[in-house]
Amino acid sequence: MEYVIQQTLNALSFGAEYALLALGLAIVFSIMGLVNFAHGEIIAVGGYTMVAFASLAIGNPVIVMAGAIIAAMLASLTLERVAFRPVRKADPTTGLLTAFGVSIVLQNIFLMFVSPRPIAVTSLYFLDWPIEIAGIRLASLQVFETLTTIVVIVALMLFLRRTVLGLAVRAASLDFEMVRLTGIKANRVFAMAFLISGLLAGLACIFIMARRGSVDPHLGFDPVLKAFVACVVGGFGSLPGAVLGGFLLGAVEVAMLVMLPQSLGGMTDAFVFMIVALILIWRPDGILSPAVEKGDKL
Amino acid sequence: MLTIQDLHVFHGPIEAVHGISLNVERGKCISLLGPNGAGKTSTISAITGIARATGSVRFEEREISGDSVEARIASGIAVSPEGRRIFSNLTILENLTLGAAIQKDQKEKGRDIDHWFSLFPILAERRDQAAGTLSGGEQQMLAIARALMARPKILLLDEPSLGLAPKIVRQIFDLIGTLKDQGMTILLVEQNATQALRLADYAYLMSSGRIVAHGTADELGKSDKLMAELTGVA
């Protein structure tokens, strides 16, 4: 019994991280139809910001964490302004290629101007200590991550339901032109989506860095790949779908880790993706894909 | 109040409207009639700035043809677009709230919402339901109410009767009549000429991107051109 609870909690914390990342992709996709593959590099920007603080001998964890989040938000806003705004009206493929381009350019900037090797960041180790409650062993980081994700989901829901700009973000996923016709500035809606996406990347960055303890130019690649899968499973463009996909992916991953025999341990990802493929055969658009308008209602 | 001169509207490389001029006076209901594809909706899109256009669009003595969509809406133009385009994934209340996005005064906003809810009890009943669950006629009323939430100086109504049952069409036109009586300036785009002419003070008849006739409702109603253009029978 304790074992089951233990693994359930593990699955939740895995899922929480994926959900956090997937939401960052989904909110931009929902209004722009753009898969922002540079999301991983925004996470890396947060990581390198921590390195910068360390080299300035600033160790105050609050400053380090806030700095990383703010840097990620600014990076996200800057990308919107510099890279994505000019291709907003272009074909979706152009946007996708732009995202890949931005991602490669940023990775190479880190390679050339910082270092190709991992740089240790120790300022966040303190977030991670073992907890044992009633025989269940947990890392404090898992608890923080799960709680943060829950708070983020609630805050995002309140923003999207209670503020005019939040309503506009939701409406824009359906009909952006009509949102402009209500007088809301398109640029503000886009900027807000990227700002939220950057905030989510910054939060994810803190947890990734606290666990890994180092940053390298490819820091964000794996997490964003997983987030992308979570979005696909949940239904691209749907925010609840991103959350569901994230937690589902976490659960499947932990289940595979637990259930696969030792000899197949290296194949976990293969089995995870097989299950993902099966889900997509069952629901090709993802589980919670937004309903497609089936013609005019007359 | 709204004056258009020599307006050409383009969809990509195609010119959909070939130099039309029209005038909407304050407090009047002006109707723009014509068959499908005549360029009526393109004209509306040019007024709101959605479509690329050349020529002059003056609103309240000010040239607005260089302004952004958002700036034009902020200056007092509101549109209930063709096909209604309500935000079906948002609730009815949220649709109205978004309609009032440029309205800063929270109290006014609340009063306007109450006003529309009292006028359309069905919207009030379903205020927290997704707007996509409304019937076509209810969606049209919501689209008009959403446009009016911005407290516009002019209301552009694009095909409000499209695809609605005759009984609902009468309700919609009754509403437009009420709005007109309350002093709202309206540019009404319609294929349903009979209903539109009943309300309109003045009407323009469009065909193939040009204005082919204009006059008071009485004059135009009697003209052979109207029937010929709308039915395709000369």
Side-chain angles (χ1 to χ4, degrees):
Chain A
M1 185 61 205
E2 274 162 17
Y3 184 70
V4 174
I5 295 175
Q6 168 91 59
Q7 296 305 341
T8 309
L9 291 174
N10 280 342
L12 267 181
S13 73
F14 265 61
E17 179 171 324
Y18 295 150
L20 208 54
L21 289 160
L23 269 178
L25 285 184
I27 195 154
V28 167
F29 183 88
S30 74
I31 65 161
M32 261 192 115
L34 169 90
V35 183
N36 183 9
F37 277 105
H39 199 62
E41 281 56 55
I42 293 169
I43 296 172
V45 165
Y48 283 112
T49 306
M50 293 177 187
V51 173
F53 277 123
S55 67
L56 293 170
I58 299 173
N60 183 331
V62 176
I63 296 179
V64 172
M65 290 193 282
I69 291 176
I70 290 168
M73 288 166 84
L74 288 179
S76 184
L77 265 188
T78 310
L79 290 190
E80 191 276 327
R81 184 71 193 83
V82 176
F84 296 122
R85 194 177 291 185
V87 298
R88 195 185 288 167
K89 289 192 178 121
D91 200 73
T93 336
T94 314
L96 190 65
L97 291 177
T98 307
F100 274 121
V102 168
S103 164
I104 292 169
V105 167
L106 285 175
Q107 283 191 17
N108 282 287
I109 289 176
F110 301 143
L111 274 176
M112 287 197 302
F113 296 105
V114 191
S115 165
R117 274 194 290 275
I119 306 172
V121 176
T122 52
S123 47
L124 295 181
Y125 276 152
F126 76 95
L127 282 174
D128 203 2
W129 72 85
I131 309 178
E132 193 171 332
I133 311 166
I136 298 165
R137 257 172 301 161
L138 281 173
S140 61
L141 199 59
Q142 289 180 305
V143 180
F144 289 142
E145 193 157 19
T146 311
L147 290 180
T148 304
T149 303
I150 293 169
V151 170
V152 161
I153 291 170
V154 171
L156 196 57
M157 244 169 58
L158 286 177
F159 167 74
L160 290 172
R161 292 186 181 278
R162 297 285 164 81
T163 68
V164 170
L165 201 53
L167 294 180
V169 169
R170 277 166 62 210
S173 69
L174 193 75
D175 189 344
F176 208 119
E177 198 173 272
M178 193 59 227
V179 172
R180 295 189 73 193
L181 285 173
T182 64
I184 295 168
K185 290 191 176 70
N187 286 344
R188 276 186 63 201
V189 180
F190 282 112
M192 187 41 98
F194 274 87
L195 200 65
I196 293 172
S197 178
L199 169 69
L200 297 174
L203 286 169
C205 170
I206 289 175
F207 295 114
I208 292 171
M209 290 298 292
R211 191 173 325 110
R212 288 182 32 144
S214 73
V215 53
D216 65 61
H218 307 291
L219 176 76
F221 181 80
D222 268 352
V224 168
L225 189 64
K226 286 283 167 60
F228 178 71
V229 174
C231 282
V232 171
V233 171
F236 235 116
S238 154
L239 300 185
V243 172
L244 177 72
F247 279 106
L248 200 63
L249 190 63
V252 171
E253 237 181 74
V254 169
M256 288 299 114
L257 281 170
V258 171
M259 296 192 312
L260 283 179
Q262 204 86 57
S263 57
L264 288 175
M267 305 270 287
T268 312
D269 270 357
F271 280 90
V272 170
F273 281 106
M274 202 172 73
I275 290 173
V276 165
L278 289 176
I279 293 176
L280 290 180
I281 290 173
W282 167 54
R283 287 219 143 213
D285 294 331
I287 299 171
L288 294 181
S289 60
V292 183
E293 285 285 335
K294 298 190 177 66
D296 270 340
K297 184 178 259 179
L298 294 179
Chain B
M1 181 179 223
L2 178 74
T3 310
I4 293 171
Q5 262 166 352
D6 193 30
L7 185 77
H8 297 254
V9 189
F10 303 87
H11 292 301
I14 298 158
E15 187 174 322
V17 173
H18 316 285
I20 64 163
S21 302
L22 61 82
N23 185 32
V24 183
E25 282 169 61
R26 190 182 303 275
K28 293 276 162 60
C29 175
I30 306 299
S31 187
L32 192 55
L33 307 170
N36 230 340
K40 307 184 299 293
T41 296
S42 301
T43 305
I44 296 285
S45 301
I47 297 171
T48 54
I50 292 286
R52 192 165 60 88
T54 64
S56 157
V57 181
R58 294 182 69 80
F59 181 59
E60 296 198 300
E61 317 306 321
R62 199 171 60 82
E63 181 67 40
I64 59 164
S65 53
D67 291 1
S68 69
V69 176
E70 295 89 342
R72 295 183 202 208
I73 303 300
S75 71
I77 298 174
V79 58
S80 162
E82 185 181 20
R84 308 183 269 275
R85 293 170 71 174
I86 52 140
F87 302 117
S88 54
N89 57 339
L90 269 56
T91 67
I92 287 147
L93 185 61
E94 287 170 341
N95 268 273
L96 292 176
T97 310
L98 261 189
I102 58 170
Q103 163 88 260
K104 293 285 169 270
D105 189 335
Q106 292 300 327
K107 272 191 196 141
E108 291 282 293
K109 222 185 261 191
R111 220 173 295 154
D112 283 359
I113 288 176
D114 290 344
H115 169 72
W116 291 110
F117 279 164
S118 69
L119 208 56
F120 305 119
I122 184 76
L123 297 184
E125 258 170 55
R126 305 208 189 164
R127 52 192 292 160
D128 295 319
Q129 267 183 42
T133 61
L134 292 174
S135 74
E138 289 155 6
Q139 289 190 7
Q140 184 60 57
M141 293 179 189
L142 179 59
I144 295 174
R146 178 183 62 185
L148 291 167
M149 283 296 295
R151 293 273 183 110
K153 294 168 184 157
I154 185 170
L155 176 64
L156 313 179
L157 275 172
D158 197 350
E159 302 263 13
S161 74
L162 190 70
L164 298 180
K167 188 181 149 213
I168 312 291
V169 170
R170 272 194 300 280
Q171 282 180 20
I172 298 281
F173 277 100
D174 284 348
L175 167 66
I176 301 170
T178 313
L179 291 173
K180 185 192 163 193
D181 294 341
Q182 288 166 354
M184 178 59 71
T185 310
I186 299 168
L187 177 59
L188 172 64
V189 165
E190 260 301 338
Q191 285 189 57
N192 188 336
T194 334
Q195 289 282 1
L197 286 176
R198 201 169 293 162
L199 282 177
D201 298 296
Y202 200 84
Y204 295 84
L205 177 61
M206 271 188 97
S207 177
S208 308
R210 290 190 171 80
I211 287 176
V212 289
H214 56 93
T216 61
D218 283 345
E219 290 164 9
L220 210 61
K222 284 176 195 133
S223 116
D224 298 336
K225 251 190 171 155
L226 179 72
M227 282 318 286
E229 284 298 342
L230 289 177
T231 59
V233 180

